[in-house]
Amino acid sequence: MIVGIHQPNYLPYMGFVDKLKKSDVFIIYDDAQFSKGDFQHRNRIRIHHGWEWLTVPVEKKHIPINQIKIKNNVKISGMNWQEAHFKEIHDNYRKAPYYPKYEKDIQRIYEQQYDVLIDINMELIEFLMKSFDIATEIIYSSEFGFNSKSTEKLVDLVSAVEGDVYLSGPMGKNYLEHQLFEEKNIHVTFQEFKHPAYQQQYNGFEPNMSAIDSLFNDGRIP
């Protein structure tokens, strides 16, 4: 059984979706420490002159991701952040071939009120899973209450769900302690993700946008 593990990113990109698709069980690493420079509260969408960040205003503290609160009093161009993010998505994708099919679903997500970051992140992840027809089982790391760290925690999580293969991101080659997996008879494999090319709404191709870019323009998982 293949197990993937990843922090709950905001509007995740296609590499995240690819890992979801290739896993039998996907563990949302929600009790990992929040990193303000990562993609846990921001991601990029395609616009006419390249791309732009959509960033959720949050309290940037060194605490677990599932405890990060949203600063709902922050205004972006005079709007609350949900309205501003949806407006940017709508304005830049409304002419994309598949956007009308998903417009009501994405609008519904942004019309809701969220107090903690993980709630909107999971709404968007579940939206992408449904849209790309991915039925992978989702489990939260916080459900297990492990106090272990780094590779040891990854091994604990994979073992807890009785996995025998850990699907790591490619950067795992630089930091994983392989012997800890070997001691538990867990095989480690590394994700080989080649970003698909497709026709975007604007001229040229910008890779590594949020997966909604592929969904709204191409309508399917590559």
Side-chain angles (χ1 to χ4, degrees), residues 163-176:
D164 54 10
V165 176
Y166 171 56
L167 176 59
S168 170
M171 296 301 292
K173 296 176 182 178
N174 300 329
Y175 65 82
L176 290 178

Side-chain angles (χ1 to χ4, degrees), residues 26-202:
F26 194 83
I27 299 176
I28 296 291
Y29 201 167
D30 64 321
D31 55 353
Q33 295 296 300
F34 174 76
S35 174
K36 64 180 181 180
D38 210 332
F39 293 91
Q40 294 147 21
H41 71 121
R42 62 178 188 160
N43 226 308
R44 300 182 297 168
I45 62 168
R46 184 77 162 89
I47 59 175
H48 69 280
H49 57 274
W51 50 264
E52 72 171 354
W53 289 103
L54 293 184
T55 303
V56 181
V58 298
E59 297 179 354
K60 298 175 181 178
K61 299 180 179 180
H62 192 62
I63 57 176
I65 298 166
N66 58 15
Q67 297 177 26
I68 293 292
K69 294 182 179 180
I70 297 174
K71 297 168 69 174
N72 282 311
N73 61 331
V74 172
K75 299 292 183 180
I76 301 174
S77 300
M79 295 176 281
N80 66 45
W81 68 268
Q82 298 108 301
E83 291 174 328
H85 283 206
F86 176 71
K87 184 178 186 301
E88 287 299 313
I89 291 170
H90 178 77
D91 288 352
N92 287 285
Y93 290 106
R94 60 190 175 88
K95 294 183 180 180
Y98 295 92
Y99 177 73
K101 179 179 179 180
Y102 300 104
E103 179 180 0
K104 288 184 179 178
D105 290 331
I106 199 78
Q107 184 175 15
R108 176 190 59 80
I109 291 172
Y110 280 100
E111 285 177 343
Q112 296 181 56
Q113 181 79 10
Y114 303 94
D115 294 320
V116 289
L117 177 64
I118 192 171
D119 287 348
I120 187 168
N121 286 7
M122 290 310 303
E123 282 277 353
L124 290 165
I125 289 168
E126 289 167 6
F127 162 73
L128 289 170
M129 290 180 68
K130 180 180 178 182
S131 301
F132 286 127
D133 195 25
I134 298 173
T136 301
E137 180 182 3
I138 296 290
I139 297 176
Y140 293 84
S141 60
S142 59
E143 294 177 14
F144 300 99
F146 292 130
N147 293 317
S148 46
K149 305 291 183 182
S150 303
T151 299
E152 185 180 354
K153 184 162 184 177
L154 299 177
V155 172
D156 287 342
L157 290 169
V158 176
S159 298
V161 298
E162 300 182 350
D164 54 10
V165 176
Y166 171 56
L167 176 59
S168 170
M171 296 301 292
K173 296 176 182 178
N174 300 329
Y175 65 82
L176 290 178
E177 298 177 66
H178 291 267
Q179 72 276 11
L180 297 182
F181 287 98
E182 293 171 1
E183 290 169 3
K184 295 290 186 178
N185 295 315
I186 298 171
H187 176 69
V188 178
T189 185
F190 295 94
Q191 181 185 19
E192 296 181 1
F193 172 66
K194 183 178 180 181
H195 199 289
Y198 49 85
Q199 183 66 50
Q200 290 178 325
Q201 182 69 9
Y202 304 106

